[in-house]
Every structure is written in structure tokens, then in C-alpha cells.
Amino acid sequence: MLHEHRLFLREYARHFHTTGSLVPSSRWLAAALASYVVPGQQPLRIVEVGPGTGAVTRALARRLGPHDQLDLVELNPRFAEHLRECLTRDPVLRPIADRTRVIQAAVQELPQDRQYHLVISGLPLNNFAAELVEQLLNSLAGLLRPGGTLSFFQYVAIRKLRALAGGRADRARLRAIGMLLQRTLQAHEVRRDLVLRNLPPAWVHHLRFD
Ligand SMILES: C[S@@+](CC[C@H](N)C(=O)[O-])C[C@H]1O[C@@H](n2cnc3c(N)ncnc32)[C@H](O)[C@@H]1O
């Protein structure tokens, strides 16, 4: 765990833009993100986007059924390598290694083939240009099968706090992201969970697009 925190911090220093936080998600945030993974009549295809060091992946692993399949799409090659290693030796991840693929790629470069029942995203949307956020949301929605669910989180009040500290251009960027997310949530949100036991506290949003 200490090793993972160190890796996370190092990658934050190297790529703070795409890493987006100083520490991995708490187990409570991970559980909220994984809450739509429930055993059903048919096997689930799940993709986690931005798994980082695997904090949420472990919550998914604990809920994964014997015929479910999990893809992990991670941009950062060091995180991708770490996840591949964990799948060989981590006591929680090793049992799902035969049903899990690590895909080192940017999610927006994946084919939009609507193959997943669940898309779980850890992307730090507030760090990106508003145009990229729109592209990312479209990409995440484009991975979902009809009736599928997208779950993602954002830290509570983070845009307001960052706008206080940022310059004029950053405030405009954050305002544009806020409006885009508000429109998207108004149209598609089916549930939201407040997770206080995380640093910082976070909202988990669950969305359906049809
Ligand atoms: C805030 S971290 C979340 C890590 C982990 N899910 C957690 O909650 O602890 C964001 C992760 O998204 C990855 N990432 C950023 N942009 C990405 C993209 N376009 N496609 C795939 N992964 C991306 C980063 O490398 C990083 O691992």
C-alpha cells in the first residue's frame, strides 16, 4: 500500500495533469464506484478507465462474477505495468487475472463499439480543457451497451475552490466544464452518492444514456 501511494505521488509529480490527485481513492469511494457490479443472469463486461494503481480495481475484483470480464484502460505506462504485475501477485487481483485485460491507451482512442455493460471512470475531468472533457464523456458513453451504466466521481466543491485559486482563463475553463457536466447530469444521471470518507470527499455519479 505504501509502495502504491509512493508510485501515485511520483506519477502525480511527473504528470499531475492526467494523474489528477495526490493519493488513490479510498475504499469507500471505490465501493461506491463499483456498486453497479451485481451478479445477474448474464455475465457482465466492465471497463475501468484510469485505474491508476488499482484502488477501484480491487473493489471491482471483489464483486466480479466468475464469467464477468474486466478491461482496464490506463494512459500512463507505469501504472499499466504496475497493474500487470499486480495481476500476477496481488491476493485480490490475482484471482481475476484470467478475466482481466490491461490496455495501455487513451480512452478516447478506443473504438466506440458499445460493448460494455458498465463503464467506471477515474478520469480527472477538471484538469482538462472543456473540449477534451466533452470528447471524453462522448467516448465513455460510446463504450456503453444500450441500458449500460457509467459511474464516475468528482470531488465536492473542487471547481469552486480551484476557481478561487486560478487565473481568469482557468476560471473560464472550469465554468465551461461545470456547465457541460451539469447538462450531462441533468439529462442522464440516475443516482448519485456522497462519499465523505475520501480525501477530499466526492460525489459519485451514475448515468444512463438511453
Ligand atoms: C485520479 S487518477 C484515478 C486513479 C484510480 N482510479 C483511483 O481512483 O485511485 C486518474 C487516472 O486516469 C488516468 N488517465 C488520465 N487520462 C486518461 C485517458 N485519456 N485515458 C485513460 N486513462 C487516463 C491517469 O493516468 C490516472 O491513472
Side-chain angles (χ1 to χ4, degrees):
M1 179 132 163
L2 202 61
H3 165 65
E4 293 201 337
H5 275 72
R6 248 190 266 126
L7 174 62
F8 212 92
L9 204 57
R10 211 166 48 226
E11 292 312 306
Y12 178 79
R14 278 193 182 121
H15 310 284
F16 78 93
H17 222 72
T18 52
T19 307
S21 73
L22 283 163
V23 287
S25 295
S26 71
R27 86 175 90 123
W28 295 277
L29 178 51
L33 284 162
S35 61
Y36 275 81
V37 183
V38 280
Q41 287 172 344
Q42 54 171 341
L44 292 175
R45 284 190 62 86
I46 303 164
V47 60
E48 183 189 355
V49 180
T53 50
V56 178
T57 319
R58 289 188 181 85
L60 297 172
R62 291 194 174 91
R63 289 165 167 259
L64 213 66
H67 302 293
D68 297 342
Q69 288 193 334
L70 176 62
D71 285 345
L72 306 173
V73 178
E74 174 52 59
L75 178 69
N76 182 324
R78 289 188 192 84
F79 283 148
E81 187 50 37
H82 173 77
L83 291 164
R84 286 196 185 100
E85 258 179 61
C86 285
L87 284 165
T88 66
R89 60 173 170 75
D90 181 293
V92 180
L93 295 182
R94 202 174 46 190
I96 62 155
D98 60 334
R99 288 161 280 155
T100 305
R101 291 191 300 178
V102 178
I103 301 166
Q104 199 252 300
V107 67
Q108 61 274 34
E109 285 164 12
L110 295 187
Q112 304 285 288
D113 48 9
R114 301 180 65 92
Q115 58 166 313
Y116 297 101
H117 299 93
L118 297 174
V119 175
I120 289 131
S121 168
L123 295 179
L125 297 177
N126 287 309
N127 281 11
F128 302 137
E131 296 73 27
L132 178 56
V133 174
E134 187 161 22
Q135 187 190 356
L136 289 167
L137 288 173
N138 287 336
S139 298
L140 297 175
L143 294 172
L144 279 174
R145 289 163 89 109
T149 307
L150 163 66
S151 298
F152 75 95
F153 71 92
Q154 44 178 350
Y155 299 125
V156 171
I158 196 70
R159 271 191 302 282
K160 287 204 178 103
L161 292 174
R162 284 180 58 166
L164 287 177
R168 184 194 282 224
D170 211 34
R171 278 202 296 278
R173 182 185 68 79
L174 290 164
R175 204 176 316 116
I177 294 174
M179 282 173 355
L180 173 63
L181 285 174
Q182 198 182 347
R183 270 202 313 275
T184 308
L185 293 174
Q186 265 168 8
H188 301 292
E189 189 175 46
V190 291
R191 200 185 95 198
R192 67 171 62 181
D193 306 313
L194 177 61
V195 180
L196 295 173
R197 291 162 99 177
N198 190 69
L199 210 68
W203 283 108
V204 176
H205 303 283
H206 306 279
L207 285 71
R208 291 218 175 104
F209 291 85
D210 35 37

